[in-house]
Amino acid sequence: MANNLINLKKYLKEELPKINASLETEIKSLPPFIYKVAKHVLNAGGKRLRPLLTILTARALGYNKKDIYPLASALEIFHSATLIHDDILDNAHLRRGKTASHLVFGIKESILAGDGLLALGNLIVARYNNPCLTHTISEAILATAYGEIQEISLSGQNITETTYLEIIKGKTAFLIQAACECGAILSGKDKKFVLAAKNYGLNIGIAFQLIDDALDYTQNASTLGKPNWGDLKEGKITLPLILYLKELPDFKKEETLQKILTNSLSIEEIEQIALAIQNNKIGIQVREKAKTFLSSAKQSLKVFPSSKETTLLFAILDYILEREK
């Protein structure tokens, strides 16, 4: 496992300059004021997971042409657009350790920049003149928007684990699914490989968000480039909090829930809840839940031909489960 993770980091290090060069080429076509916002968001870093998945999936299925990079960069562009809009909706102050774009450039400018990035991403995909690619991306963007709408519509309400999973599928998993599916479509392989890539992407997307939500409670969130216990402070009901509330007596659960949903927790109460989640090893429970989705992703990959890239797709499963930032 360790060797595969080392190889994965090495592969990303080799691909990252090409991905970033493609991103720079594409966003240069944007109007100057949108370009500035896009540059700010993209330069903040990020794992480039989505473009890497597009490249790995396509190459695992035998596609080795260099025209993969614009498509891969489009997936990062879509992701960046959703981050800009998310930060405005959440009134976030930080993104990847840097000041959120709407606080630097203004809300109107950032909304327009997010819209511009979505339009640019669609234009890039359209250049491939492949209806399946266009359909996949359109479906993913729509599902992502629905996920955000669902979360906003349920703001201030308690949600079940089932509803929580539906939200994270929309907000995170469908775009990761699209990254893998697009790579498979571009390869021109049979539908069974496209379906396998799609299932792989959906399941790792869910697992990725589960781990992300666990990390908000189980370590110093400043290492993630966001405030400590940001979800709790914003009244967001994520799986760690759902599991914590389940363990409380009914009277205490109702009182705590109402304070969470109305954003009326004191700093001391927030710290107590975060500490209880850590002490009760709820982060471990969340990782166990993530394992079930990663197991499904692993099963999907079994139809892929043996290759260096397929091995690295397997390594991503370990990376997601073990990641600490």
Side-chain angles (χ1 to χ4, degrees):
M1 182 180 81
N3 284 340
N4 286 339
L5 287 174
I6 290 169
N7 290 335
L8 179 63
K9 289 178 182 178
K10 182 180 177 183
Y11 194 93
L12 178 58
K13 187 177 180 180
E14 291 171 353
E15 292 298 325
L16 200 53
K18 300 170 190 174
I19 293 168
N20 287 337
S22 180
L23 283 167
E24 179 63 23
T25 298
E26 297 297 344
I27 67 170
K28 273 185 177 177
S29 65
L30 293 167
F33 84 95
I34 293 180
Y35 172 78
K36 286 191 295 186
V37 182
K39 187 82 170 171
H40 176 81
V41 175
L42 290 167
N43 278 0
K47 301 170 186 68
R48 302 294 192 250
L49 176 64
R50 290 151 192 83
L52 180 64
L53 285 168
T54 303
I55 292 165
L56 284 173
T57 306
R59 288 182 179 163
L61 297 175
Y63 191 87
N64 293 307
K65 294 181 182 179
K66 291 182 179 180
D67 69 350
I68 187 70
Y69 292 104
L71 179 62
S73 68
L75 270 298
E76 188 69 17
I77 286 168
F78 289 128
H79 177 52
S80 296
T82 65
L83 295 183
I84 292 170
H85 289 160
D86 280 352
D87 286 346
I88 294 169
L89 290 167
D90 296 340
N91 194 28
H93 288 219
L94 291 174
R95 171 60 66 180
R96 295 167 175 166
K98 292 193 175 184
T99 305
S101 60
H102 64 281
L103 298 178
V104 177
F105 302 99
I107 291 177
K108 289 180 181 178
E109 292 81 359
S110 295
I111 290 172
L112 290 172
D115 292 346
L117 285 171
L118 286 172
L120 174 61
N122 277 300
L123 180 61
I124 294 167
V125 175
R127 287 188 211 139
Y128 287 83
N129 198 28
N130 185 324
C132 291
L133 284 178
T134 303
H135 177 82
T136 295
I137 288 298
S138 299
E139 206 171 44
I141 293 171
L142 186 61
T144 302
Y146 281 171
E148 188 68 58
I149 291 166
Q150 186 179 24
E151 183 178 55
I152 292 170
S153 68
L154 294 173
S155 178
Q157 300 178 43
N158 190 21
I159 61 171
T160 63
E161 185 175 328
T162 300
T163 301
Y164 161 77
L165 288 172
E166 288 175 2
I167 290 170
I168 67 173
K169 280 181 186 177
K171 287 196 66 179
T172 301
F174 283 125
L175 202 52
I176 291 177
Q177 171 186 290
C180 299
E181 191 176 356
C182 283
I185 290 169
L186 195 63
S187 76
K189 290 289 186 182
D190 294 342
K191 285 185 179 179
K192 72 173 183 178
F193 294 106
V194 175
L195 182 59
K198 183 176 182 178
N199 289 336
Y200 170 82
L202 178 66
N203 281 291
I204 66 169
I206 295 169
F208 186 91
Q209 189 59 53
L210 284 169
I211 300 295
D212 204 56
D213 290 343
L215 288 173
D216 194 58
Y217 288 94
T218 56
Q219 72 166 39
N220 188 334
S222 63
T223 63
L224 305 177
K226 57 185 180 182
N228 286 327
W229 316 308
D231 290 340
L232 183 55
K233 289 176 180 177
E234 292 171 15
K236 285 186 179 178
I237 307 294
T238 60
L239 187 56
L241 199 52
I242 291 170
L243 295 176
Y244 166 75
L245 290 169
K246 275 185 180 179
E247 296 179 359
L248 295 179
D250 287 344
F251 76 93
K252 185 65 175 175
K253 175 182 176 179
E254 187 60 34
E255 177 190 345
T256 304
L257 182 60
Q258 285 308 308
K259 285 188 174 183
I260 292 167
L261 296 177
T262 56
N263 291 314
S264 55
L265 288 169
S266 67
I267 293 298
E268 291 76 15
E269 287 171 322
I270 288 171
E271 290 177 350
Q272 287 170 8
I273 291 171
L275 186 61
I277 287 173
Q278 292 175 31
N279 290 341
N280 294 346
K281 302 189 186 314
I282 287 173
I284 294 173
Q285 294 179 52
V286 176
R287 286 181 186 269
E288 288 298 316
K289 183 75 173 180
K291 275 185 185 179
T292 64
F293 293 100
L294 293 173
S295 178
S296 296
K298 186 175 184 178
Q299 191 65 31
S300 298
L301 276 184
K302 289 184 177 179
V303 304
F304 272 44
S306 296
S307 68
K308 175 177 71 174
E309 284 78 15
T310 298
T311 300
L312 295 178
L313 287 170
F314 278 112
I316 284 176
L317 306 179
D318 295 323
Y319 157 72
I320 290 173
L321 185 63
E322 301 300 328
R323 77 186 182 96
E324 296 295 338
K325 61 181 181 176

